[in-house]
DNA sequence: TGTACATCAGTGAACGCGCGTTCACTGATGTAC
DNA sequence: TGTACATCAGTGAACGCGCGTTCACTGATGTAC
């Protein structure tokens, strides 16, 4: 929206690709990943209906780009959260959990494109790579978590990361945007933190 | 589809409402909850484009009906699973977990309408009631689970049911329909069972 | 059991609308010299 | 630094299409007597 003011009278938009992506983020949030049209995105970006075709093959392509960008942001956020909490593996792990919720909350459009739009991960090699990168953070954080356990008591790291991912995603979907968990007596943050806490206790990471 | 054969030449369809719902289940599964049109549903049911309006106000209304029906089936399935496993609270609880996954797997259209279509639970009192009924099963199963614990060690049942629900839903979304969990080395069933197991151990329900 | 009539549950034509997509075009920008 | 030209990134008109929705209609079904 700032772009429009800045470049008001230019024949060329100058940054249409990004503007379309940003319009798409809003539209996805409002109407879901299949609830809007190319024409709407164009209108939103203040451009003729034909213009988007200079940058994207169609809506699917546009959403894929949004998802890709989302995964990059996501991976970065997870990585830096992990690094920040590093002294203790447990703190780092919890920081990653918070980062997950935080990302879902502040980037709902990206989150939806990534996880609710039905974009196939195997659609493009780029997408595949960045998804793996994002998920590796979680697995790595899990691994560190039970480094101090005797090897035969260590659970498979990918299993643990899958569990944590599943619970995080479930909390986001059911309790963050208020649907259909409705008026839950707990916030998403409380739920995830307590849930993961109990889970880690079950793994023997946290004593008592 | 059987209906079509049975009543082939009748001017009246005879069972159009149900036929539309069933067509919608397929369409939702294929194209998502906002990826199809009323006209498509009508065509699918072998009926003119105007006919659906005798039964539904529009697509939203149709999807809401599907979700409602889904919640009823869901509640029944959960209840009977719970009853079946009753002797031990733990067995009953696990049966409910399995029923959850089983429902999601055998009724993907319903599941999507219920949890991924953005239908507001507060949309109709009917819907609200049946959602509560379905979720009560889970909470009740959780309650029984720590009946034998000293009262001051009992976690809040709704919290526990929310945790379990979140993990179940997460597993379904990420690892059941293969997206975006991709080629996970574990099946949805394995993941949920192990995840819930670790979680219950963390609660002190399962020893060791 | 037959008949007259009301109601129900469809049809099909019609309408206006917005979408996707193509296309020749044109103004702005970049670059070779 | 200026100029000529190529390329880039938009426009706007055009098209055919399917959708949502309304409406008068009609065939089938149910029911009162």
């Amino acid at each position: 929206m700032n772009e429009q003011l800045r470049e008001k009278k230019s024949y060329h938009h100058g940054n249409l690709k990004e503007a379309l992506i940003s319009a798409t983020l809003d539209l996805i949030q409002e109407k879901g990943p299949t609830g809007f049209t190319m024409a709407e995105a164009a209108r939103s970006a203040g451009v003729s209906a034909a213009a988007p075709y200079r940058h994207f093959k169609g809506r699917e392509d546009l959403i894929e780009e949004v998802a890709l960008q989302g995964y990059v942001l996501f991976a970065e956020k997870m990585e830096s959260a992990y690094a920040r909490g590093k002294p203790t593996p447990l703190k780092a792990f919890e920081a990653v959990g918070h980062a997950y919720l935080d990302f879902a909350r502040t980037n709902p459009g990206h989150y939806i494109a990534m996880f609710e739009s039905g974009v196939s991960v195997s659609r493009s090699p780029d997408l595949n790579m960045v998804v793996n990168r994002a998920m590796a953070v979680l697995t790595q954080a899990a691994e560190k978590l039970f480094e101090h356990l005797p090897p035969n008591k260590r659970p498979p790291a990918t299993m643990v990361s899958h569990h944590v991912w599943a619970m995080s995603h479930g909390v986001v979907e059911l309790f963050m945007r208020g649907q259909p968990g409705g008026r839950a007596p707990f916030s998403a943050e409380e739920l995830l933190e307590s849930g993961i806490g109990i889970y880690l206790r079950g793994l023997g990471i946290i004593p008592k």
Side-chain angles (χ1 to χ4, degrees), chain A:
Chain A
M1 336 187 152
N2 276 336
E3 261 71 34
Q4 286 170 10
L5 297 173
R6 230 190 288 144
E7 316 215 5
K8 204 129 195 182
K9 275 286 130 205
S10 172
Y11 183 92
H12 282 183
H13 183 288
N15 205 9
L16 183 54
K17 192 170 182 182
E18 274 309 311
L20 282 170
I21 289 175
S22 138
T24 302
L25 286 171
D26 292 344
L27 287 168
I28 285 178
Q29 213 183 133
E30 269 174 60
K31 315 204 185 187
T34 51
F36 70 98
T37 64
M38 269 313 242
E40 256 174 306
R43 221 175 298 131
S44 246
V47 110
S48 80
Y53 293 91
R54 296 273 169 212
H55 301 277
F56 301 100
K57 285 200 208 84
R59 206 194 49 200
E60 285 276 281
D61 197 38
L62 178 51
I63 290 181
E64 189 187 322
E65 185 68 30
V66 170
L68 185 66
Q69 201 179 86
Y71 274 112
V72 172
L73 290 172
F74 182 65
E76 283 167 2
K77 186 157 195 165
M78 303 275 277
E79 277 164 5
S80 88
Y82 180 60
R84 217 174 321 126
K86 224 167 192 173
T88 5
L90 187 58
K91 278 270 177 290
F93 195 79
E94 277 167 3
V96 171
H98 274 119
Y100 191 103
L101 281 195
D102 199 58
F103 178 83
R105 176 159 277 147
T106 61
N107 299 59
H110 282 124
Y111 195 88
I112 292 170
M114 291 155 70
F115 295 121
E116 303 173 40
S117 76
V119 193
S120 174
V121 160
S122 50
R123 202 182 176 72
S124 87
D126 279 8
L127 194 53
N128 207 335
M129 254 188 48
V130 73
V131 171
N132 287 337
R133 178 179 152 210
M135 287 315 142
V137 183
L138 204 52
T139 311
Q140 190 190 339
E143 230 153 30
K144 286 273 174 196
L145 213 48
F146 28 80
E147 235 178 11
H148 68 282
L149 293 181
N152 64 321
K153 291 210 94 183
R154 284 182 208 163
T158 62
M159 184 191 76
V160 171
S161 70
H162 282 23
H163 285 152
V164 171
W165 186 13
M167 191 178 277
S168 306
H169 182 67
V171 164
V172 167
E173 295 295 311
L174 297 175
F175 307 112
M176 179 161 266
R177 293 193 285 273
Q179 290 291 314
R183 274 292 109 240
F186 312 100
S187 74
E189 277 77 7
E190 287 172 325
L191 270 177
L192 185 59
E193 191 159 349
S194 56
I196 298 295
I198 293 167
Y199 175 85
L200 292 181
R201 204 165 302 143
L203 276 181
I205 308 288
I206 306 181
K208 190 176 188 265

